[in-house]
Amino acid sequence: MLHTRFGVCLVVVGALALSGCGGDDASPSGTAAATTPGSSNTDGAGATLTISGLAFSAVTSAAGESIAIVNDDGFGHTVTDRDGGFNVKVAGGATGELTIDQPGTYKIFCEIHSDMAGTIVVS
């Protein structure tokens, strides 16, 4: 019985430790932040990248402009730059935000669903 309790405690501690892992990565080419479900683009302006049906919408943005990320799917996704410039995690039904400071064409994908791909054009 003692071994069973110890095993259960070990599993619970491990699960709690793993639940604290994760976060949003940012690099010099952009900044990224995830927000809570139901929130919106903080400045009310800018482009919107919508995730729906396991697909990214097309988006064009000005350098330094906030891009709202709207995840209409019921499960999490990431908006990840193939060159490692940014990685934003957005829970299902939630919104996030991304700002890319350098002009260019950014090829994006979802780390969770590797078949999802798209492009963000920044002028």
Side-chain angles (χ1 to χ4, degrees):
M1 184 74 167
L2 181 61
H3 291 289
T4 303
R5 286 184 185 165
F6 178 76
V8 170
C9 289
L10 188 58
V11 169
V12 170
V13 169
L16 289 173
L18 288 175
S19 70
C21 295
D24 295 281
D25 299 328
S27 78
S29 68
T31 57
T35 57
T36 57
S39 65
S40 61
N41 196 355
T42 56
D43 61 6
T48 300
L49 171 65
T50 302
I51 304 169
S52 182
L54 293 167
F56 296 110
S57 67
V59 65
T60 301
S61 173
E65 177 182 58
S66 175
I67 302 168
I69 303 168
V70 178
N71 182 356
D72 286 340
D73 287 338
F75 39 85
H77 292 292
T78 69
V79 178
T80 306
D81 178 27
R82 290 221 180 262
D83 292 329
F86 52 83
N87 182 22
V88 181
K89 296 169 181 76
V90 185
T95 61
E97 187 173 312
L98 170 65
T99 301
I100 302 173
D101 298 322
Q102 298 298 318
T105 299
Y106 295 83
K107 294 180 180 180
I108 58 171
F109 71 101
C110 175
E111 288 183 322
I112 303 165
H113 308 99
S114 58
D115 290 341
M116 287 178 59
T119 303
I120 298 174
V121 177
V122 178
S123 56

